[in-house]
Amino acid sequence: MNHSFGKPHYSLKSTSSKKNKLGLGFAHSKIILMGEHAVVYDYPAIAIPFKPCQVKVQVTPSAYAYSTIHCPYYKGAFEQAPDHLNNLKMALKLTLDSKQLPKRPLHIEILSEIPQERGMGSSAAVSVALIRAVCDYYGKTIKDYHLRMITNEAEVIAHQSTSGIDTLVTSSNRSIIYCKSQQARDFDLDLEAYLVVADSGQVGQTKLAVNHVAQLRQSKASFVNGAMETIGFFVRQAFLAIRKKDPLELGRLMTYNHYYLNQLGVSNPSLDHIVNAAWLAGALGAKLTGGGMGGCVIALAKDQTHAQMIAESMEQAGAEKTWLLNLSKAEQAKESHHD
């Protein structure tokens, strides 16, 4: 079986020492629990930090007269990096400028467990970790609002526009309920349950999916508007279920949410197959997460044994990898104490 249990492959404790000039920065991924696509039309969505997938950035002095970067997709001079790393160039520039730091040649190394283009906030998480690493390298602190402002600027470069959800959740330990026209409200997610996340192995196609829904809305306005309103209702009910610590109700609402996403045409046979496998394995609920047309599937399980069975079924149905997240705050505290 290919799932990990939420323990990163590297130490989360900063070992930076100004003697050896090492700056370290960390961030984690994010998962949309409920509300995909409806959030585009100003209905609420719930997003949660997902710590089993993390990113670590190391900053050291460059061996050359210019800055260099080493990541899975490119190794070489930072300024000559391909366009898809322009968000990191922006993040570095804004960090150095806004903190009035000397522009020395740096070597940036990115170690990420977050699969790209799966709706897990990979680009925001890397920017957050880079900004933290640069500040650590220069011995500077950075306030959360400043970190998020820089990350959002970098995210605009990466995605042309940004809701700010990825930035908020990859830089925080708290879950959020978010609506475009309102300020995000953060809260603690604490349930006697496990979340299983399965990577379908397919690249998520958020822009394509959003455009598909927008076109469908032009031809079938009442259907799409009704679906969005219903998804928004499910999200609000899911938030109440979380507050009442009721995983059975949350799972039921997740399943309903997937049905409507399927009806909107943003799921696909591969995702549906993995969702069905989770249901057949006894999941409390299962759905796609993120933009859809690829990406990831999530399932809710009543305990760890149950979660492992569901993860195995999802992998047999085609998922490339699965991760488990304990949603109980008390159990998370015990796990981190034993690490």
Side-chain angles (χ1 to χ4, degrees):
M1 229 160 96
N2 193 22
H3 56 262
S4 61
F5 288 84
K7 293 183 182 178
H9 305 311
Y10 43 77
S11 169
L12 292 184
K13 293 180 180 175
S14 175
T15 55
S16 67
S17 159
K18 295 305 166 258
K19 287 180 184 174
N20 62 5
K21 247 344 197 176
L22 169 67
L24 288 178
F26 300 91
H28 49 256
S29 58
K30 76 93 173 55
I31 291 292
I32 302 273
L33 192 66
M34 296 277 294
E36 296 86 348
H37 289 283
V39 73
V40 174
Y41 299 94
D42 205 24
Y43 291 99
I46 296 171
I48 67 170
F50 190 68
K51 293 189 175 181
C53 289
Q54 307 214 12
V55 58
K56 172 185 177 182
V57 174
Q58 293 183 176
V59 173
T60 52
S62 174
Y64 304 92
Y66 50 85
S67 289
T68 53
I69 185 168
H70 183 156
C71 69
Y73 312 100
Y74 174 78
K75 298 169 188 174
F78 192 37
E79 283 306 311
Q80 292 169 20
D83 288 348
H84 70 261
L85 295 180
N86 282 349
N87 59 319
L88 301 185
K89 295 177 191 175
M90 176 62 76
L92 177 62
K93 180 183 184 303
L94 290 174
T95 304
L96 295 174
D97 288 350
S98 63
K99 301 294 281 185
Q100 298 181 309
L101 300 170
K103 294 178 173 63
R104 299 177 190 141
L106 303 173
H107 176 64
I108 297 161
E109 186 166 1
I110 299 169
L111 304 166
S112 181
E113 301 174 332
I114 309 172
Q116 280 202 314
E117 298 181 89
R118 298 294 197 276
M120 296 177 78
S122 173
S123 66
V126 173
S127 290
V128 166
L130 172 62
I131 296 160
R132 285 174 169 163
V134 170
C135 289
D136 188 46
Y137 178 84
Y138 284 102
K140 302 289 184 182
T141 58
I142 185 163
K143 294 187 183 299
D144 284 345
Y145 78 87
H146 191 183
L147 171 73
R148 289 167 184 164
M149 183 180 71
I150 294 172
T151 304
N152 276 335
E153 288 290 322
E155 280 290 275
V156 169
I157 297 285
H159 302 296
Q160 282 78 60
S161 64
T162 176
S163 67
I165 290 178
D166 287 9
T167 298
L168 270 174
V169 183
T170 59
S171 63
S172 167
N173 292 325
R174 290 172 66 79
S175 301
I176 65 165
I177 182 163
Y178 171 90
C179 207
K180 274 169 78 171
S181 61
Q182 299 168 25
Q183 190 169 355
R185 176 181 174 189
D186 63 342
F187 67 95
D188 273 328
L189 176 60
D190 185 9
L191 281 177
E192 294 295 323
Y194 272 73
L195 190 72
V196 184
V197 176
D199 180 359
S200 72
Q202 299 178 322
V203 170
Q205 301 183 73
T206 302
K207 283 182 189 171
L208 186 65
V210 168
N211 288 338
H212 163 78
V213 173
Q215 287 171 9
L216 187 64
R217 191 167 177 247
Q218 287 180 344
S219 59
K220 296 183 176 178
S222 61
F223 166 70
V224 173
N225 290 339
M228 296 306 176
E229 190 173 335
T230 304
I231 291 171
F233 172 75
F234 292 156
V235 174
R236 286 187 285 270
Q237 294 301 114
F239 184 65
L240 290 175
I242 290 167
R243 300 302 291 268
K244 291 176 181 175
K245 300 186 186 296
D246 186 351
L248 285 172
E249 175 68 0
L250 176 60
R252 189 172 69 88
L253 291 160
M254 286 169 62
T255 295
Y256 290 166
N257 193 169
H258 181 77
Y259 171 78
Y260 276 85
L261 292 171
N262 176 290
Q263 292 299 299
L264 289 167
V266 297
S267 189
N268 66 25
S270 298
L271 296 181
D272 287 341
H273 190 50
I274 297 170
V275 166
N276 286 332
W279 288 336
L280 289 171
L284 303 179
K287 61 185 283 292
L288 68 81
T289 177
M293 295 185 173
C296 292
V297 167
I298 58 174
L300 198 64
K302 60 186 177 184
D303 56 37
Q304 184 175 333
T305 302
H306 194 209
Q308 289 168 337
M309 289 169 55
I310 292 165
E312 193 163 359
S313 294
M314 293 169 96
E315 286 178 12
Q316 288 170 356
E320 278 193 0
K321 186 169 184 179
T322 54
W323 300 268
L324 309 185
L325 177 66
N326 191 336
L327 299 179
S328 163
K329 285 283 179 187
E331 292 302 315
Q332 286 175 27
K334 280 184 200 171
E335 287 173 6
S336 53
H337 180 71
H338 289 309
D339 287 350

